[in-house]
Amino acid sequence: MSEFITTYTGKHFKPTDPNPELIDIPDIAHALSLICRGNGHVKTFWSVGQHCICCAKEAAARGLSDRMVLACLLHDASECYMSDVPSPFKKTLPEYQEQEAYLLHLIYEKFLGSDLTAQEQAQLEEIDHVMLWYDLDGLLEKQDGEPPKLHIELNYTVEPFAKVEAEYIRIFEKYSRSEK
């Protein structure tokens, strides 16, 4: 059995010993456009890539920094290399959580120049939780209570994978230019 995965762009990436030089936006954008949100337990396909794009757009609509827009776009990027595990199960897997956190740390270091501060992490988590509420409401079952405030229009139309991939890359390029 191999110790690596072969990425969309042909790189041999070891999720258990990640090389930051092999972390690549085209691989991330492509894979996330094909991975279904909610472990596939949704009424219709909705990709992790689409979720990340919405998080990034929400950060921009809230007037957050370009760095935060990028952080929101990248917050699930580790899933393209090591998949995701449903939250109730993930809580019982400390080693998985450590590997995921380390890989995300490398992704933020590479594309943002540093890991997120506690304040940035809190902002990201708030946006991610708001999006989760809407994702559950729109893709699974109506949620109880008052919807959280959202600054963008959501449309759960399934988009072609290539379109999602291209939009992910466009947003990355737009906001990463200002970070340099």
Side-chain angles (χ1 to χ4, degrees):
M1 214 53 179
S2 176
E3 290 184 359
F4 61 82
I5 62 169
T6 302
T7 68
Y8 171 68
T9 61
K11 294 175 182 66
H12 297 304
F13 188 87
K14 291 183 178 181
T16 56
D17 185 21
N19 178 347
E21 302 219 356
L22 299 178
I23 297 171
D24 192 25
I25 289 299
D27 284 331
I28 293 168
H30 180 79
L32 294 185
S33 75
L34 295 169
I35 298 171
C36 188
R37 188 97 163 106
N39 211 32
H41 295 283
V42 288
K43 291 177 184 172
T44 187
F45 184 83
W46 183 253
S47 74
V48 174
Q50 288 171 287
H51 164 76
C52 292
I53 288 167
C54 288
C55 287
K57 288 180 176 180
E58 178 67 11
R62 290 180 180 201
L64 299 181
S65 69
D66 290 356
R67 174 180 160 86
M68 279 306 303
V69 173
L70 281 174
C72 287
L73 186 69
L74 295 166
H75 81 280
D76 284 333
S78 61
E79 293 179 23
C80 92
Y81 298 108
M82 57 186 293
S83 293
D84 194 17
V85 175
S87 294
F89 187 44
K90 187 188 292 189
K91 291 175 185 173
T92 69
L93 303 171
E95 187 175 328
Y96 177 92
Q97 292 176 58
E98 290 169 19
Q99 290 281 64
E100 181 183 43
Y102 179 65
L103 183 52
L104 198 52
H105 162 77
L106 293 178
I107 290 166
Y108 288 151
E109 286 278 331
K110 179 169 184 166
F111 297 118
L112 301 178
S114 66
D115 217 336
L116 300 182
T117 66
Q119 180 184 7
E120 289 170 330
Q121 186 63 39
Q123 288 175 322
L124 186 147
E125 287 174 6
E126 203 273 322
I127 289 171
D128 195 30
H129 285 108
V130 167
M131 283 303 155
L132 174 61
W133 191 96
Y134 283 96
D135 287 355
L136 290 171
D137 189 67
L139 298 168
L140 194 57
E141 62 188 6
K142 290 296 176 195
Q143 298 298 292
D144 293 329
E146 193 69 27
K149 183 165 176 51
L150 192 65
H151 299 80
I152 63 171
E153 286 282 325
L154 283 177
N155 179 354
Y156 286 103
T157 301
V158 178
E159 297 287 350
F161 305 131
K163 184 176 178 184
V164 174
E165 182 178 342
E167 185 173 10
Y168 192 101
I169 290 170
R170 182 191 61 74
I171 292 170
F172 176 81
E173 288 174 348
K174 176 181 178 181
Y175 287 95
S176 64
R177 274 197 289 271
S178 64
E179 280 298 298
K180 294 181 178 174

